């Protein structure tokens, strides 16, 4: 047996009795959840680059239509399908407004060659016949055709003719002509598929000649008619539009089928697409979070009823909902948002429900409930902040999905905003005319591709940044 050792109280003394002992201060700053997520996001160079690309696109969507002086309502069918032309870049051979025209007759464009409009001619053989490809300055070509072409003459009233600078007149003759005038409301009833020439008078009325009116006579528009002596006048067209001799307009992305500036039309259409996407996303988030929070927090019968309701609602085809609402209420902005919202909130609600189920029985929630906190306070102050990271990443990925869906149905012609062509509608028009005018398809396709790619890369980076399992992990 071991010997028992007895110690007296006096044998024990305090070590460092006269010194104050404390924990060492933290040498690094504490990092919260969101700060840690931001640090991880900054390390993801691809996502960060995508963020800056999105910021640039949003800036362009807001301000780009103001850059070059055109508006969506500025249209001139005589200047339709012009290729891209940009100041400065034209001098180095790119964006110089040239276009290739195919012909089987070399002499057909002899006058253009003599006037320096034809830049290059390539002869090829097709089915044992020669085919000529003329590379022309298309802006000069359009000016020439609208000055000397068979259908170039303008039908002007006496006052309009007298107001012309005589130096602009190439030739003219007086004719007895019936003219038709309609207001803007009637003009907007003319479908885009009908190409018709007109003049906007100082009074704001749209004037049509007899020949042009016959193209839209079947629409039975309400018009004022008058019989008067008119002046059929050929003018130096670009100078008639207000440009100096030798100058041309500049369409940075070219012009569309109605003679509008495609640069302005594209960014304006992108604006409506993004407005729809964010309006739908915010509405779905608000509805989905509220319903999902109630379902996940209370559970039981409430959860059961909500789940059965969402199952029935999710079984309704979205195309059927959208088509019926458009047919019944038209293509208004609010109608499109409501159609996307009817079933769009279900995914957010399901995700929110899962997160509330996950956190509602945690210790800090039980402690808060024990101290008398209300259900609303527990849901808004203790559960929702912890679920916010997962919800944020899902929301970012919802926006590109809505943009893609809206563009798809615009492409199919189900969604049509009237005077404003969304990106999907521009893609549809461009696809129809891609052989003759490839720029009509090229620029909308580039925009939607970059937008979708940037949104998805940024959303993936945000998802990784807010992933709780990666907290504190150095990549």
């Amino acid at each position: 047996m071991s010997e028992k050792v007895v110690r007296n109280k006096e044998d024990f003394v305090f070590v460092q009795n006269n010194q104050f002992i404390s924990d060492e201060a933290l040498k690094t700053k504490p990092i919260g959840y969101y700060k840690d997520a931001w640090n991880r996001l900054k390390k993801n160079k691809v996502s960060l680059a995508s963020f800056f690309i999105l910021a640039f696109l949003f800036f362009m969507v807001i301000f780009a239509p103001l850059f070059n002086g055109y508006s969506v309502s500025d249209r001139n069918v005589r200047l339709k399908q012009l290729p891209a032309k940009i100041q400065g870049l034209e001098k180095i051979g790119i964006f110089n407004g040239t276009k290739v025209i195919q012909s089987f007759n070399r002499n057909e464009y002899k006058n253009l060659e003599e006037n320096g409009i034809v830049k290059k001619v390539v002869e090829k053989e097709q089915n044992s016949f020669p085919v000529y490809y003329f590379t022309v300055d298309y802006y000069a070509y359009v000016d020439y055709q609208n000055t000397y072409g068979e259908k170039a003459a303008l039908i002007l009233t006496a006052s309009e003719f007298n107001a012309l600078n005589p130096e602009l007149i190439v030739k003219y003759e007086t004719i007895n002509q019936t003219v038709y005038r309609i207001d803007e409301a009637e003009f907007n009833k003319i479908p885009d598929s009908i190409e018709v020439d007109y003049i906007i008078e100082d009074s704001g009325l749209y004037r049509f000649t007899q020949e042009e009116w016959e193209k839209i006579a079947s629409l039975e528009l309400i018009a004022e008619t008058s019989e008067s002596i008119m002046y059929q006048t050929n003018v130096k067209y670009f100078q008639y539009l207000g440009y100096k001799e030798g100058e041309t307009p500049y369409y940075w992305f070219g012009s569309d089928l109605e003679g509008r500036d495609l640069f302005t039309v594209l960014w304006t259409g992108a604006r409506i697409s993004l407005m729809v996407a964010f309006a739908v996303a915010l509405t779905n988030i608000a509805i989905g979070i509220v319903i999902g929070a109630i379902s996940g927090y209370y559970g039981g019968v409430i959860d059961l009823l909500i789940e059965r309701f969402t199952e029935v609602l999710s079984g309704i085809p979205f195309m059927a909902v959208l088509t019926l609402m458009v047919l019944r209420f038209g293509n208004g902005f609010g109608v499109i948002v409501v159609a996307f919202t009817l079933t769009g909130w279900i995914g957010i609600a399901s995700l929110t429900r899962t997160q509330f189920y996950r956190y509602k029985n945690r210790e800090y929630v039980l402690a808060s409930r024990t101290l008398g906190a209300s259900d609303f306070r527990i849901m808004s102050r203790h559960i929702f902040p912890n679920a916010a990271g997962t919800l944020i990443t899902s929301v970012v990925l919802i926006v590109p999905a809505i943009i893609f869906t809206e563009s798809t149905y615009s492409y199919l012609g189900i969604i049509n905003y009237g005077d404003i062509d969304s990106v999907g509608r521009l893609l549809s028009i461009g696809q129809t005319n891609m052989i003759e005018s490839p720029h009509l398809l090229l620029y909308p396709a580039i925009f939607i591709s970059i937008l979708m790619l940037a949104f998805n890369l940024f959303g993936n980076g945000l998802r990784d940044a807010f992933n709780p399992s990666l907290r504190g992990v150095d990549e």
Side-chain angles (χ1 to χ4, degrees):
M1 293 181 64
S2 60
E3 185 180 352
K4 184 177 182 181
V5 179
V6 179
R7 299 292 184 183
N8 296 323
K9 182 179 179 181
E10 291 76 12
D11 294 334
F12 295 93
V13 295
F14 286 102
V15 178
Q16 300 172 327
N17 190 35
N18 297 324
Q19 297 180 8
F20 179 76
I21 302 175
S22 63
D23 294 332
E24 291 186 10
L26 293 173
K27 295 181 180 180
T28 58
K29 293 182 180 180
I31 299 177
Y33 176 68
Y34 293 102
K35 179 67 175 178
D36 184 55
W38 169 242
N39 289 338
R40 284 203 301 276
L41 183 62
K42 287 192 295 184
K43 293 177 182 178
N44 191 330
K45 304 301 181 184
V46 174
S47 293
L48 208 57
S50 299
F51 170 77
F52 287 115
I53 291 173
L54 288 175
F56 172 75
L57 292 178
F58 291 155
F59 174 83
M60 293 296 289
V61 164
I62 296 171
F63 297 107
L66 306 175
F67 288 170
N68 60 359
Y70 295 105
S71 69
V72 177
S73 59
D74 293 337
R75 62 187 74 196
N76 186 341
V77 292
R78 290 172 175 253
L79 303 181
K80 66 178 182 178
Q81 294 175 281
L82 292 174
K85 188 175 185 180
I86 302 177
Q87 300 94 320
L89 295 180
E90 59 179 332
K91 297 179 180 179
I92 60 176
I94 58 174
F95 296 102
N96 57 2
T98 59
K99 193 172 184 178
V100 177
I101 301 176
Q102 176 183 329
S103 176
F104 293 95
N105 183 2
R106 175 66 186 264
N107 296 325
E108 183 178 358
Y109 294 98
K110 185 178 181 180
N111 290 336
L112 300 181
E113 292 187 63
E114 293 174 352
N115 286 276
I117 297 174
V118 176
K119 303 298 182 182
K120 181 181 177 182
V121 182
V122 176
E123 181 180 347
K124 295 183 178 180
E125 189 173 296
Q126 181 177 326
N127 297 327
S128 300
F129 291 96
V131 180
Y132 301 94
Y133 294 89
F134 297 87
T135 301
V136 301
D137 180 346
Y138 202 68
Y139 284 72
Y141 171 77
V142 168
D143 184 31
Y144 183 88
Q145 291 295 330
N146 283 302
T147 302
Y148 303 103
E150 293 180 3
K151 298 183 179 180
L154 301 174
I155 307 299
L156 304 177
T157 63
S159 59
E160 291 170 342
F161 179 80
N162 293 330
L164 275 179
N165 184 342
E167 295 181 357
L168 302 184
I169 299 174
V170 176
K171 63 177 181 178
Y172 76 93
E173 62 177 307
T174 57
I175 57 174
N176 212 2
Q177 178 78 225
T178 301
V179 295
Y180 300 80
R181 295 177 175 88
I182 60 175
D183 59 21
E184 186 174 2
E186 292 296 305
F187 177 78
N188 290 332
K189 295 178 182 179
I190 302 175
D192 297 339
S193 57
I194 299 179
E195 296 182 7
V196 58
D197 197 8
Y198 57 88
I199 290 179
I200 302 178
E201 297 183 334
D202 294 337
S203 62
L205 296 177
Y206 295 78
R207 188 177 77 233
F208 299 84
T209 63
Q210 176 70 44
E211 182 181 358
E212 297 299 319
W213 182 257
E214 290 175 356
K215 298 178 183 179
I216 56 175
S218 60
L219 300 177
E220 298 183 354
L221 303 177
I222 300 175
E224 300 176 6
T225 60
S226 62
E227 188 84 16
S228 58
I229 296 176
M230 307 292 287
Y231 291 80
Q232 185 171 294
T233 313
N234 286 72
V235 297
K236 298 175 181 178
Y237 193 67
F238 279 173
Q239 294 182 56
Y240 168 76
L241 295 179
Y243 299 97
K244 295 180 180 179
E245 186 174 359
E247 290 185 352
T248 68
Y250 286 91
Y251 292 111
W252 295 344
F253 284 179
S255 62
D256 66 3
L257 298 179
E258 299 178 46
R260 299 179 298 175
D261 174 47
L262 185 59
F263 181 86
T264 303
V265 172
L266 174 59
W267 293 114
T268 305
R271 183 184 298 172
I272 193 72
S273 295
L274 287 175
M275 286 174 60
V276 169
F278 281 104
V280 170
L282 292 174
T283 306
N284 285 341
I285 290 165
I287 297 174
I289 286 178
V290 171
I291 295 178
I294 294 172
S295 177
Y297 182 79
Y298 290 105
V301 176
I302 294 177
D303 179 39
L304 185 64
L305 291 175
I306 292 176
E307 283 298 291
R308 299 294 79 77
F309 174 72
T310 56
E311 285 180 5
V312 173
L313 201 61
S314 61
I316 302 175
F318 173 71
M319 180 179 284
V321 173
L322 179 62
T323 304
L324 290 174
M325 290 198 66
V326 167
L327 290 175
R328 176 62 180 86
F329 301 105
N331 277 282
F333 179 84
V335 175
I336 304 302
V337 172
V338 170
F340 274 85
T341 304
L342 283 178
T343 58
W345 57 268
I346 294 177
I348 293 291
S350 177
L351 182 62
T352 305
R353 171 180 175 272
T354 302
Q355 296 302 308
F356 270 71
Y357 258 119
R358 177 182 179 185
Y359 290 107
K360 72 176 184 178
N361 291 321
R362 295 291 175 92
E363 289 79 1
Y364 57 86
V365 176
L366 296 175
S368 179
R369 187 181 290 114
T370 302
L371 292 173
S374 65
D375 289 341
F376 178 77
R377 181 178 178 82
I378 292 173
M379 294 165 70
S380 60
R381 297 294 299 275
H382 298 290
I383 299 179
F384 180 74
N386 288 284
T390 304
L391 295 175
I392 289 173
T393 57
S394 299
V395 167
V396 173
L397 294 173
I398 284 175
V399 174
I402 295 172
I403 293 174
F404 184 77
T405 304
E406 188 271 344
S407 298
T408 300
Y409 287 104
S410 295
Y411 178 86
L412 296 174
I414 297 175
I415 298 177
N416 186 352
Y417 300 104
D419 289 341
I420 299 178
D421 292 326
S422 67
V423 179
R425 178 65 180 158
L426 292 176
L427 288 171
S428 178
I429 295 172
Q431 187 268 337
T432 305
N433 299 274
M434 63 182 296
I435 303 299
E436 184 180 356
S437 301
H439 68 278
L440 295 179
L441 177 64
L442 177 63
Y443 298 110
I446 291 175
F447 169 79
I448 196 70
S449 300
I450 293 176
L451 182 67
M452 296 296 295
L453 186 62
F455 253 121
N456 282 287
L457 290 176
F458 177 64
N460 290 336
L462 208 59
R463 179 190 59 201
D464 294 339
F466 279 99
N467 189 344
S469 64
L470 297 178
R471 181 168 167 77
V473 177
D474 292 330
E475 297 180 356

